[in-house]
């Protein structure tokens, strides 16, 4: 059974790109975010995963929209975007999303990407084969995961470990 993924992120039109919460994301702009969202979904699909996007606001209707999408399909993996996860003022929204998804899809894996380009690698941490929705166990050795997964946030650490072990990281 093909792995199903839902990518939940802020809609590009609801963000104030000049606010302190989003200035930290260097170069972030409406069209760039729209393109990154589209490219991310395309990369997942090209890698063999069934992926749906769910763009939300800051909470006015976000949970209703997510709830509606979760009612229409069972997802194996749930990717929550950095704009929701990393902006401090979005903590209650992030928390609500996690609890809603956990309650609705208790077997789903939460996946947090390092960058849009790496998302297929991030999904592979738990679902290496897009044709099998059987999730892998939680990695025990994150440094080892980082070595083989360029999408891991420990990339700099992984490069150092791999180089020390004699592996070419470029």
């Amino acid at each position: 059974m093909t792995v199903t993924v839902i990518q939940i992120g802020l809609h590009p039109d609801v963000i104030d790109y000049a606010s302190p919460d989003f200035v930290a994301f260097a170069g972030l702009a409406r069209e760039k975010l729209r393109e990154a969202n589209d490219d991310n979904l395309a990369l997942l699909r090209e890698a063999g995963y069934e992926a749906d996007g769910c763009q939300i606001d800051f909470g006015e209707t976000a949970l209703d929209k997510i709830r509606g999408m979760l009612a229409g399909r069972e997802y194996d993996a749930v990717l929550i975007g950095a704009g929701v996860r990393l902006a401090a003022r979005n903590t209650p929204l992030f928390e609500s999303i996690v609890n809603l998804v956990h309650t609705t899809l208790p077997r789903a894996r939460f996946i947090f990407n390092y960058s849009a380009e790496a998302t297929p690698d991030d999904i592979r941490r738990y679902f290496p084969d897009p044709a099998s929705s059987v999730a892998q166990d939680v990695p025990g050795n994150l440094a080892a995961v980082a070595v083989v997964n360029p999408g891991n946030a420990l990339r700099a650490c992984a490069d150092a470990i791999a180089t020390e072990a004699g592996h070419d990281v470029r």
Side-chain angles (χ1 to χ4, degrees), residues 41-62:
L41 289 170
L43 285 168
L44 287 166
R45 291 174 184 141
E46 286 171 20
Y49 300 94
E50 290 184 21
D52 293 328
C54 180
Q55 294 183 338
I56 60 171
D57 56 29
F58 287 100
E60 298 83 6
T61 62

Side-chain angles (χ1 to χ4, degrees), residues 30-51:
R30 182 173 285 107
E31 286 309 312
K32 186 174 180 179
L33 180 57
R34 190 179 320 277
E35 184 178 318
N37 285 335
D38 293 346
D39 289 350
N40 197 22
L41 289 170
L43 285 168
L44 287 166
R45 291 174 184 141
E46 286 171 20
Y49 300 94
E50 290 184 21

Side-chain angles (χ1 to χ4, degrees), residues 52-137:
D52 293 328
C54 180
Q55 294 183 338
I56 60 171
D57 56 29
F58 287 100
E60 298 83 6
T61 62
L63 296 180
D64 289 336
K65 183 168 186 176
I66 295 166
R67 196 175 286 112
M69 290 200 65
L70 299 181
R73 186 172 203 182
E74 182 86 13
Y75 291 98
D76 302 304
V78 179
L79 177 69
I80 302 173
V84 173
R85 297 189 330 263
L86 301 179
R89 75 176 187 158
N90 290 337
T91 300
L93 174 61
F94 177 50
E95 182 179 85
S96 297
I97 293 169
V98 168
N99 284 313
L100 171 63
V101 172
H102 175 66
T103 301
T104 309
L105 303 173
R107 292 181 304 185
R109 298 289 186 171
F110 288 95
I111 311 291
F112 303 116
N113 61 346
Y114 178 69
S115 68
E117 295 80 15
T119 296
D121 287 330
D122 296 314
I123 298 294
R124 286 183 191 108
R125 282 195 298 268
Y126 292 99
F127 299 99
D129 178 1
S132 174
S133 60
V134 176
Q136 299 293 306
D137 290 334

